Amino acid sequence: MLPSNFSIAEILRYDAVIALLASFVTCLLLVCTKKWHGAFSMDSSTGVQKVHTSPTPRIGGIAIAIGVFAGFAASSHGIAAAEKRAILSAILLAGMPAFIFGLLEDVTKKVSVRIRLLATMASGVLGWGITGISLTHVDFWGIDWLLSYTIISVIFTAFAVGGLANAINIIDGFNGLTGGTALIMLAAFGIIARQVGDIPLAFTCLIIAGAVAGFFFLNWPTGKIFLGDGGAYFLGFTLAWISVLLPERNASVSPWTSLLICSYPITEVAFSIFRRKFLRDGQQATQPDAVHLHTLANKRWAKRIFPKASKTVRNGLTSPFLWCYALLPCISAIYFRHNTSDTLLALVACVVLYLLIYRKLAFFRWFPQRKS
């Protein structure tokens, strides 16, 4: 660890700018050359979860991966260079199974959800293999005792990483939603890392945020390019691995802080599984539907507030509603990072708020009606 008393000029280092530019230029090239690769890379505008109006390239994950690599290559000098490069290299190498199998789904449409889940879990195991880091405590004695055994710790980490990676893919429904949410989460992770003096991790978050921002500029608000499964799984793995690194590298940070930061996508996927399994006549948990929170926000809020906007414009204007919700757990995590009980209370409050908002959007009321 290095001292945390560095200047704002050091924060705005060129490696994050390089990551942003590399990602943006790659996205621009992918959009401009879509007539050559569109037969494989286009996302159709037909389907139960489709809200865009024309086929669009869904390989934006390539740009984010290139952006992260460019940031890694540019990080050879300056504050925390060696340790920062070690973190980024582990992310790039371990994230390849998640990225490759997601990208294969983008171009072939034939990779099952189970295979992609296993690939993201494999990335978690590979991350441990490269770094020797896995989740070893959650601040509960019985569970912490189990996690003291390496095999259990690695399996637990693999499930956690795979779960968050798939959760990020679940919320990838509107222009800018996943990219904006990821930027908010990366900002929270980076701020906490900065506050506890973990400068290498803070700068790592900044570089990854630069790569995401380069994609974001062409994804929001008009959706010139989409993240795709490759991008969603790679970005999901990256966020999951940072979630593991933050408490494992900094004992003063509660491990529940990472869960709180990531609570929006995790709550979305957990509630979607529950809703499909128990509230929709035993529907398969992996079967897509059009009643996610972001879909309801588009139907209830964006259409009402922007009635004259085109479908494409409303698509992009839906995401800010969800960004506001994603901000709440991230801000709470920054304030409660050292206190497990406060973090857990904030987590419960955010989940309850999610359920109340969902009920309001789905049933036009905040609370269940009393039976007479």
Side-chain angles (χ1 to χ4, degrees):
M1 301 297 175
L2 295 176
S4 60
N5 56 335
F6 55 89
S7 68
I8 194 69
E10 288 291 344
I11 296 178
L12 301 176
R13 284 179 52 82
Y14 67 93
D15 45 14
V17 176
I18 290 296
L20 187 153
L21 291 175
S23 177
F24 178 78
V25 170
T26 303
C27 281
L28 202 58
L29 290 173
L30 290 173
V31 171
C32 293
T33 59
K34 61 184 179 181
K35 63 180 180 181
W36 297 333
H37 56 75
F40 303 100
S41 65
M42 288 295 195
D43 190 17
S44 169
S45 57
T46 58
V48 66
Q49 291 184 314
K50 308 297 184 181
V51 292
H52 54 286
T53 57
S54 61
T56 305
R58 55 179 287 173
I59 51 176
I62 294 174
I64 291 180
I66 289 175
V68 174
F69 179 78
F72 163 79
S75 299
S76 57
H77 302 287
I79 290 179
E83 198 169 353
K84 182 171 49 176
R85 284 170 64 86
I87 297 171
L88 287 169
S89 63
I91 287 173
L92 286 166
L93 290 172
M96 282 302 101
F99 174 66
I100 290 170
F101 280 89
L103 188 62
L104 284 173
E105 166 62 13
D106 291 328
V107 299
T108 68
K109 318 299 190 292
K110 295 180 180 179
V111 182
S112 69
V113 173
R114 177 173 296 181
I115 293 298
R116 283 175 275 154
L117 175 61
L118 290 174
T120 55
M121 292 173 64
S123 285
V125 175
L126 189 55
W128 164 77
I130 293 170
T131 66
I133 296 174
S134 59
L135 287 168
T136 59
H137 68 290
V138 293
D139 288 354
F140 282 102
W141 180 83
I143 299 176
D144 286 354
W145 176 76
L146 288 173
L147 292 178
S148 67
Y149 294 92
T150 300
I151 183 65
I152 296 177
S153 174
V154 173
I155 292 173
F156 184 82
T157 301
F159 273 100
V161 168
L164 181 56
N166 280 268
I168 292 295
N169 191 46
I170 284 287
I171 67 168
D172 188 24
F174 286 91
N175 298 339
L177 178 54
T178 303
T181 300
L183 288 171
I184 292 169
M185 293 164 63
L186 286 166
F189 281 123
I191 289 170
I192 293 173
R194 164 68 173 84
Q195 289 174 332
V196 298
D198 192 346
I199 308 309
L201 187 58
F203 278 147
T204 297
C205 293
L206 184 64
I207 290 170
I208 296 168
V212 175
F215 160 79
F216 181 83
F217 290 143
L218 283 175
N219 174 247
W220 187 83
T222 55
K224 299 298 183 184
I225 189 169
F226 294 158
L227 197 58
D229 283 23
Y233 287 125
F234 178 71
L235 183 55
F237 164 76
T238 299
L239 290 165
W241 194 244
I242 292 172
S243 299
V244 173
L245 291 178
L246 181 63
E248 290 299 321
R249 288 167 58 93
N250 304 279
S252 65
V253 178
S254 168
W256 293 91
T257 298
S258 292
L259 184 63
L260 181 58
I261 291 172
C262 302
S263 62
Y264 164 43
I266 290 173
T267 304
E268 179 67 52
V269 73
F271 183 67
S272 295
I273 293 171
F274 174 82
R275 171 171 49 78
R276 292 166 181 169
K277 187 68 176 177
F278 298 104
L279 303 182
R280 295 178 68 88
D281 299 324
Q283 181 180 353
Q284 289 186 356
T286 58
Q287 186 175 341
D289 58 31
V291 283
H292 292 291
L293 181 66
H294 48 265
T295 312
L296 294 175
N298 175 260
K299 294 177 180 178
R300 305 288 191 249
W301 287 340
K303 284 186 177 181
R304 178 178 298 178
I305 297 173
F306 309 105
K308 296 182 180 180
S310 66
K311 187 176 181 180
T312 299
V313 172
R314 280 204 306 268
N315 182 324
L317 292 175
T318 299
S319 297
F321 295 111
L322 285 307
W323 296 340
C324 290
Y325 173 73
L327 270 171
L328 294 176
C330 290
I331 292 173
S332 300
I334 292 170
Y335 279 100
F336 302 135
R337 62 188 181 276
H338 296 309
N339 192 305
T340 295
S341 59
D342 288 345
T343 301
L344 282 171
L345 287 173
L347 177 62
V348 171
C350 289
V351 171
V352 170
L353 179 60
Y354 172 96
L355 295 174
L356 289 175
I357 294 173
Y358 192 95
R359 169 169 284 277
K360 175 65 175 178
L361 293 176
F363 304 109
F364 304 99
R365 56 181 181 269
W366 292 104
F367 302 101
Q369 291 181 330
R370 291 184 177 182
K371 293 182 179 181
S372 56

